[in-house]
Amino acid sequence: MIRVNDVHIHYRQGEQTIHALRGVSLDINRGDYIALIGPSGSGKSSLIAAIAGLVFPTSGDIFVDRYRINKVSRGRRAAIRSTYYSVIFQFSEMLGRFTIRENLQLSWHACHGNHNPEKFFERLEYLSAKLDIFNLLDAYPGQLSGGQLQKTAIARALIRDLPIILADEPSGDLDPESFVQVKNLFQEEHENGKGIFLVTHDMKLAFDAKTIFELRNGVISDVVKS
Ligand SMILES: Nc1ncnc2c1ncn2[C@@H]1O[C@H](COP(=O)(O)OP(=O)(O)OP(=O)(O)O)[C@@H](O)[C@H]1O
Ligand SMILES: [Mg+2]
């Protein structure tokens, strides 16, 4: 479904060129559970952003089914995102003027419009129970702690119920109980047929994945588990 083919990403920073990715190739399909571990600055977020069509590779290609996401129009890229991906960003994308419930509704609406509202409420119940966030739904993002915000951001992404979950360091701020809730939720989404691509430096979270790669200095340097 997704094919990352020899992707390089260079950033210009003044006089300097930063080589974030130096030739990464991998496939992500429905039913996969892949974790990519690697130290800070190794290029994990850059890779997720490129797969999601938010950053353009300097060279190489990313195919999502028959679409080359780095070559299609902006509108097509947005359509690809809302058809294929639930993206959990490293830094929350919550809209501060809206409650958590409204943020989740907006996230659903951006993908599914007014279709199937029953499914939205079903997903809301399911995710709120799994993540124990019922009591946070009527709060505003600014009123939440870092860990609470991270859990609600996971719900905001997963409410869309799309085939591929891209998760960028989803457990950084979580207490042990929340960590287990998130780990179990990912496992259950995987069992329900979603493809998961998770980047993290936390080996405890990566542990459930069927395949674990290590990214180091912009290349996949090791297959830790397959
Ligand atoms: N927009 C940008 N402009 C310039 N340099 C960038 C940009 N985004 C990332 N970089 C650089 O690219 C490299 C990889 O960054 P990236 O955020 O992908 O790493 P990461 O593996 O996600 O790190 P972390 O574990 O800290 O989240 C770093 O050296 C970073 O400074
Ligand atoms: Mg990162």
Side-chain angles (χ1 to χ4, degrees):
M1 178 178 273
I2 297 164
R3 167 149 292 181
V4 177
N5 184 27
D6 195 23
V7 163
H8 294 247
I9 295 181
H10 300 169
Y11 297 108
R12 293 289 301 168
Q13 236 180 38
E15 294 292 286
Q16 252 192 327
T17 301
I18 295 167
H19 298 261
L21 297 181
R22 299 166 185 264
V24 170
S25 301
L26 60 94
D27 290 349
I28 309 167
N29 289 299
R30 268 200 184 83
D32 279 348
Y33 192 169
I34 300 171
L36 183 74
I37 57 169
S40 209
S42 56
K44 303 184 299 297
S45 293
S46 302
L47 179 57
I48 288 244
I51 293 171
L54 299 166
V55 161
F56 291 101
T58 312
S59 65
D61 285 305
I62 295 169
F63 292 93
V64 183
D65 280 342
R66 64 198 164 90
Y67 301 108
R68 193 157 25 159
I69 193 164
N70 50 313
K71 291 283 156 64
V72 297
S73 68
R74 177 204 284 254
R76 172 66 67 191
R77 276 199 306 283
I80 290 171
R81 269 195 296 281
S82 59
T83 307
Y84 289 91
Y85 297 139
S86 297
V87 189
I88 302 165
F89 293 99
Q90 186 167 15
F91 303 105
S92 169
E93 299 273 299
M94 286 287 174
L95 300 173
R97 287 185 298 123
F98 297 98
T99 65
I100 299 303
R101 187 193 307 276
E102 288 165 342
N103 267 280
L104 267 53
Q105 268 166 337
L106 288 166
S107 174
W108 170 270
H109 196 266
C111 280
H112 303 289
N114 291 324
H115 296 300
N116 213 346
E118 305 78 27
K119 181 77 189 182
F120 167 76
F121 289 113
E122 193 185 296
R123 272 308 266 179
L124 184 65
E125 278 292 313
Y126 170 72
L127 293 168
S128 301
K130 284 280 160 193
L131 296 167
D132 191 23
I133 55 165
F134 280 114
N135 61 335
L136 307 180
L137 294 177
D138 293 314
Y140 287 88
Q143 299 173 313
L144 303 188
S145 72
Q148 289 173 330
L149 201 54
Q150 190 153 40
K151 287 212 278 186
T152 56
I154 292 168
R156 179 186 179 279
L158 298 194
I159 194 113
R160 298 180 159 196
D161 202 21
L162 296 175
I164 302 282
I165 297 170
L166 302 176
D168 191 351
E169 205 67 69
S171 69
D173 288 326
L174 300 179
D175 62 43
E177 195 183 338
S178 301
F179 178 86
V180 172
Q181 288 162 355
V182 168
K183 199 166 175 304
N184 291 344
L185 174 60
F186 276 38
Q187 184 61 31
E188 205 163 291
E189 290 284 83
H190 166 57
E191 283 161 14
N192 290 333
K194 305 259 163 63
I196 303 181
F197 182 66
L198 163 73
V199 310
T200 180
H201 28 223
D202 188 343
M203 197 56 199
K204 289 202 302 297
L205 185 67
F207 192 73
D208 285 342
K210 287 197 296 195
T211 311
I212 306 177
F213 297 120
E214 183 170 6
L215 189 68
R216 208 169 260 281
N217 300 324
V219 288
I220 288 179
S221 65
D222 208 1
V223 179
V224 182
K225 173 178 167 186
S226 67

